[in-house]
Each structure stands twice: as C-alpha cells, then as structure tokens.
Amino acid sequence: MLVIIKDDYEAVSQEAARLVADRLHKKPSLVLGLATGSTPLGLYRELIRMHADEGLDFSKVTTFNLDEYVGLPPDHPQSYHRFMRENFFDHINADPRFVHIPDGMVTEIEAHCQWYEAEIERSGGIDLQVLGIGANGHIAFNEPGSSLGSRTRVKTLSRATREDNARFFRSIDEVPRHAITMGIGTILEAQDVLLMACGDQKAAAIQAAVEGPLTASAPASMIQMHRNAFVIVDRAAASRLSDEHATALEEAVLFRRPISGSHPDTA
Ligand code: PGA
C-alpha cells in the first residue's frame, strides 16, 4: 500500500488525476471504476480540465460505477446516474455505450447484479478503481458487517450513511434505504485501487483502513489485502495515522516515488 499525504483537497484531487491520466496514457482502452460523493468531485474537475486543455482522451474508456440508490430514476437529482452525467460524463468524450452504472429502477435486481458482474468480466476486469470512504468505514455501499468476499448486490444502508447523505436530500426520510453496490470481492479484483479521503471526519476511518485489523466492521480495511492500493489523503484525514505512515509520506514526497509504474518497494 502506498499512502500519499497531501496538503489539501486540491492537491489530493490533482495527485489522483495524475494517477488516472497516467494509466489512461498507458492504456487508452482503460477500464475505470468510478465513485460518487463529494470526495471525487475535484478529481473529476481536474480530469475534465485535462480533457479540455491537454486532450486527455476518454473515447475508448470503459467505466463501471460502484453503486446506485434503489428506487431513484436516472434523472432524479440525487441519482448517481445524474451525478455522473453532470459532474463528469457531460464534459468528456466517453462513449455512452461503454459507461456502466447500476440501474436502481430494475425489477429483477438479482439478475441485474449478475449482469453487472458479467459485464465487468467481459470488459477484461477493472484496471483502476476509484474509491471514497464513509466516515463509518464503508467502501461503495458495503456497510460495516458486509461480507468480505461479497459481489454486486443490494445492501440496506446504515442509519449513519443515511444521516451522512441526508445533506443532499430535503430530509433523511427521502434518503433511499437500499442501494445496489459492487461487493468488496468485486472491488478487490481491480488491478489498482485508489482510495481518496479528505477532512478530519474521515481520520478514524482512514486509520482503521490503513492500520487497523482486517475486519468486516471496517470494510475499507480490506484494501490491506490488495497488492496495488494507493491511499491519497489530505493532512486532516491522515491525522490519526502513526508516524510510520507520516514518514512514508515524506519519502513519497522527497523521492517523488513514481506512482505510475509498479511499486515493489511498497508493502
Ligand atoms: P463523500 O462520501 O465523498 O461524500 O464523503 C464517501 C462515501 O460515503 O463513500
């Protein structure tokens, strides 16, 4: 795992965008796993800028989003379909045929989840998966207690997650109770995972993910099992990490360890 600690949200977003752009330059037909939420907004803004200013090309990219609320139609202001269109896809040149987001309105949910998994497999597997983290340690909507080998399925959202996300709705009662989400097993099969977090409200979750025991109580701790995990955080989100990780940061900064190639020197 490579922990990279940056000064602030902007720097986190730029570092994450550099990693995505690097992978895209190396493989124009990249299979990119995408996340929603406040955290990746800066990453998307920077990728949109790179597309406009530097011609970063998404035309051959295949994307898979992590999750979607059950019961929200694609045009609902809080659906993740709409989020992705407004914050990313409307501003780049991704081919809509290669864009995948779980459909929260399907009636045959289980069959849809199986289809989603099969599509990931048909694409050759996800090359790079972008992840946020919940204050309760969830990744995608894999809430604490989720099976560590889980696949795409319906999950009941925890009270904590619904309270966190209530800020986007008129009241907590409007926050959906269920979501379709990639499983932890699905996520861990990505070649690279990029976990981003900012702010001190994420510090405990980042500590548990990076240094805590492997436990279903902190689903993000499973990234410790991944061979190519990048954790890009700001100083506030890193504030509870031990000195070793703080030191790892300084080394990463000092030696400008390339985040593009393989990194056999990282644990
Ligand atoms: P946030 O959500 O980026 O809005 O903080 C992250 C998450 O819940 O996974």
Side-chain angles (χ1 to χ4, degrees):
M1 185 188 311
L2 181 57
V3 179
I4 301 173
I5 306 173
K6 306 297 285 186
D7 279 340
D8 55 24
Y9 180 73
E10 270 318 300
V12 166
S13 301
Q14 280 171 19
E15 189 77 1
R18 265 202 293 276
L19 178 59
V20 174
D22 174 81
R23 293 298 189 269
L24 193 45
H25 284 130
K26 290 196 173 112
K27 184 182 177 188
S29 61
L30 196 72
V31 181
L32 189 54
L34 296 173
T36 53
S38 317
T39 309
L41 281 172
L43 161 66
Y44 296 147
R45 268 198 298 271
E46 180 62 9
L47 289 174
I48 290 166
R49 189 201 61 73
M50 289 173 162
H51 171 67
D53 296 351
E54 298 161 19
L56 190 64
D57 180 21
F58 293 88
S59 64
K60 296 189 176 64
V61 168
T62 297
T63 67
F64 288 95
N65 262 80
L66 287 168
D67 45 22
E68 176 60 291
Y69 289 118
V70 169
L72 294 195
D75 276 334
H76 188 285
Q78 296 311 328
S79 82
Y80 289 164
H81 279 77
R82 176 108 170 233
F83 176 100
M84 290 307 298
R85 276 203 309 275
E86 289 181 350
N87 294 299
F88 195 39
F89 292 130
D90 280 354
H91 312 284
I92 57 167
N93 64 335
D95 185 332
R97 291 174 304 164
F98 305 151
V99 168
H100 304 81
I101 304 174
D103 181 350
M105 296 302 286
V106 286
T107 43
E108 302 290 328
I109 291 191
E110 207 171 307
H112 181 65
C113 294
Q114 281 170 11
W115 170 83
Y116 205 72
E117 289 275 335
E119 281 294 289
I120 294 174
E121 214 176 302
R122 253 194 300 277
S123 74
I126 293 171
D127 292 306
L128 172 62
Q129 176 66 58
V130 175
L131 293 172
I133 184 171
N136 68 355
H138 72 204
I139 42 174
F141 275 131
N142 296 287
E143 299 284 24
S146 292
S147 156
L148 301 178
S150 51
R151 315 301 308 190
T152 303
R153 70 214 182 290
V154 175
K155 283 296 288 178
T156 303
L157 304 186
S158 69
R159 177 85 194 171
T161 293
R162 293 183 64 239
E163 280 169 2
D164 278 353
N165 290 2
R167 67 189 193 276
F168 300 114
F169 294 82
R170 271 182 302 206
S171 77
I172 188 164
D173 296 327
E174 286 188 12
V175 182
R177 291 173 186 277
H178 300 94
I180 297 175
T181 180
M182 274 189 212
I184 296 172
T186 321
I187 291 167
L188 289 181
E189 280 172 15
Q191 284 293 323
D192 291 328
V193 297
L194 162 56
L195 176 64
M196 306 169 67
C198 290
D200 49 16
Q201 74 281 11
K202 299 289 174 71
I206 284 295
Q207 181 189 32
V210 173
E211 298 178 349
L214 295 183
T215 168
S217 307
S221 64
M222 277 302 105
I223 63 159
Q224 293 174 36
M225 297 291 290
H226 198 280
R227 284 194 294 180
N228 289 319
F230 298 89
V231 178
I232 307 183
V233 288
D234 70 357
R235 288 191 185 276
S239 58
R240 292 208 195 184
L241 292 180
S242 66
D243 286 350
E244 275 126 57
H245 277 110
T247 313
L249 140 75
E250 303 304 345
E251 282 170 11
V253 171
L254 276 177
F255 300 115
R256 286 306 304 163
R257 255 198 300 213
I259 56 174
S260 45
S262 59
H263 43 95
D265 54 334
T266 57

